[in-house]
Amino acid sequence: MTVIDWELENNTAVITINHPPANALSSQVINELSDIMDDLENDAKVKAIIIHGKDRFFSAGADIKEFTQMDRNEGSSNTASAGQKLFNRLENFKKPIIAAIHGAALGGGLELSMACHIRLAAKGTKLGLPEVQLGLIPGFAGTQRLPRLVGVPKATEMILTSQPIQAEEALQFGLVNQVVEPEELLNAAKKLAAHIANKSSVAVSLALECLSYAREGKFVEGQSIEARNFSKAFGSEDAKEGIRAFIEKRKPVFQDK
Ligand SMILES: C/C=C/C(=O)SCCNC(=O)CCNC(=O)[C@H](O)C(C)(C)COP(=O)(O)OP(=O)(O)OC[C@H]1O[C@@H](n2cnc3c(N)ncnc32)[C@H](O)[C@@H]1OP(=O)(O)O
């Protein structure tokens, strides 16, 4: 039985983690998500991606029950490296990925959402990295991505105390982009995805590439990639159309070329 489904709605791929009871990120979830990303990468119809969780939670993190069946070597190396590899891939994906978070995004669940480009959270969601409480530490790059988003002092407090924060506080710290009513979450994510999917996918992917340098704090390199990508975008058919449409006071019709 699969634990992740996806479907295409207009130009948005909606990925649903469906691994009851807590959408824990078992190795099966990691493998299936990885396979799905292969499909989405090569599907020209997909211009934006949403990841969300079925039922009560976005994801409560790595599968703690699976940990009990692993030997020390597997637990310490394969699990962390498989998750890190996938999440790096998501973060550097050429198509925008939106995490629609509800209930709980804990441990690996928060790490998954932090690897997405934009995060929307439902009111009442708990977000945290509680691994230290288990005698572990975050293993899917949470010690690196959380400080980048909320600053080192807040990340240190969250990781060392294992205490989650609520969506509203996450918004204040920049950990999520928006907080919405739970029943509005998926619609809000779809609206945002459609807004982006309307744009030229050439320009969107060139912009995403530049933004990856900002995440790494590489201003000088990022600036030079920006100049290169500006020139690539400028030479695209979509830029011709976008500029013409502005002059002609109409909506552009992009061909993604
Ligand atoms: C490299 C990455 C490492 C990691 O990510 S380590 C994991 C870090 N995550 C956590 O420590 C979170 C653990 N879970 C919780 O704190 C709580 O749970 C929740 C806040 C998510 C929900 O609490 P409540 O509403 O009281 O429900 P409930 O009875 O605790 O959980 C419902 C069912 O979900 C299972 N479950 C929850 N989290 C996980 C998990 N991470 N891995 C495997 N199963 C999990 C439980 O055991 C239980 O299951 P049953 O109904 O069969 O007793």
Side-chain angles (χ1 to χ4, degrees):
M1 218 176 84
T2 57
V3 286
I4 307 200
D5 315 311
W6 73 275
E7 57 182 16
L8 190 66
E9 279 190 34
N10 303 313
N11 289 109
T12 300
V14 181
I15 299 176
T16 306
I17 308 172
N18 180 10
H19 184 217
N23 291 329
L25 303 179
S26 61
S27 33
Q28 190 186 352
V29 172
I30 298 288
N31 290 338
E32 285 186 22
L33 185 53
S34 184
D35 290 345
I36 286 172
M37 297 321 288
D38 290 340
D39 294 342
L40 302 187
E41 191 164 36
N42 300 315
D43 188 335
K45 293 190 289 303
V46 175
K47 295 184 66 177
I49 296 162
I50 293 170
I51 302 181
H52 80 119
K54 198 170 156 82
D55 296 332
R56 287 180 63 202
F57 311 114
F58 174 73
S59 166
D63 194 330
I64 301 173
K65 291 167 187 164
E66 195 177 59
F67 283 170
T68 62
Q69 291 146 28
M70 284 177 180
D71 66 26
R72 182 167 186 261
N73 205 25
E74 217 182 344
S76 60
S77 84
N78 295 354
T79 304
S81 59
Q84 288 181 359
K85 189 169 157 216
L86 173 63
F87 293 2
N88 285 343
R89 181 168 178 213
L90 298 181
E91 190 172 63
N92 293 304
F93 213 66
K94 291 197 162 131
K95 303 180 186 195
I97 308 177
I98 299 169
I101 309 165
H102 75 289
L106 296 173
L110 181 61
E111 290 170 307
L112 167 61
S113 74
M114 290 193 294
C116 297
H117 301 116
I118 297 176
R119 282 160 293 284
L120 304 191
K123 272 186 192 160
T125 304
K126 287 190 216 178
L127 303 96
L129 293 180
E131 289 88 342
V132 167
Q133 183 148 292
L134 298 170
L136 295 172
I137 64 166
F140 297 156
T143 58
Q144 305 307 301
R145 290 200 177 96
L146 187 63
R148 222 162 54 183
L149 290 166
V150 304
V152 174
K154 186 65 183 173
T156 307
E157 180 188 322
M158 287 173 68
I159 291 170
L160 299 189
T161 64
S162 293
Q163 281 300 307
I165 59 174
Q166 294 289 320
E168 289 75 6
E169 192 180 357
L171 181 63
Q172 281 167 21
F173 275 92
L175 180 54
V176 299
N177 296 65
Q178 284 179 42
V179 175
V180 299
E181 295 295 336
E183 59 278 11
E184 282 301 312
L185 178 67
L186 204 49
N187 268 343
K190 286 180 185 173
K191 238 189 226 173
L192 181 59
H195 204 75
I196 300 171
N198 259 338
K199 309 280 183 287
S200 157
S201 61
V202 176
V204 167
S205 74
L206 290 170
L208 279 176
E209 188 188 2
C210 297
L211 285 161
S212 71
Y213 287 82
R215 275 196 304 271
E216 304 297 330
K218 295 180 181 164
F219 185 93
V220 175
E221 297 96 316
Q223 188 174 240
S224 100
I225 296 298
E226 188 185 82
R228 188 199 70 184
N229 284 4
F230 179 81
S231 167
K232 280 191 187 174
F234 200 85
S236 70
E237 289 302 314
D238 284 347
K240 288 194 191 92
E241 166 62 6
I243 294 166
R244 206 163 40 223
F246 176 81
I247 303 291
E248 294 169 4
K249 298 187 188 298
R250 61 173 173 83
K251 280 201 170 149
V253 181
F254 293 121
Q255 304 293 329
D256 301 320
K257 285 191 231 163

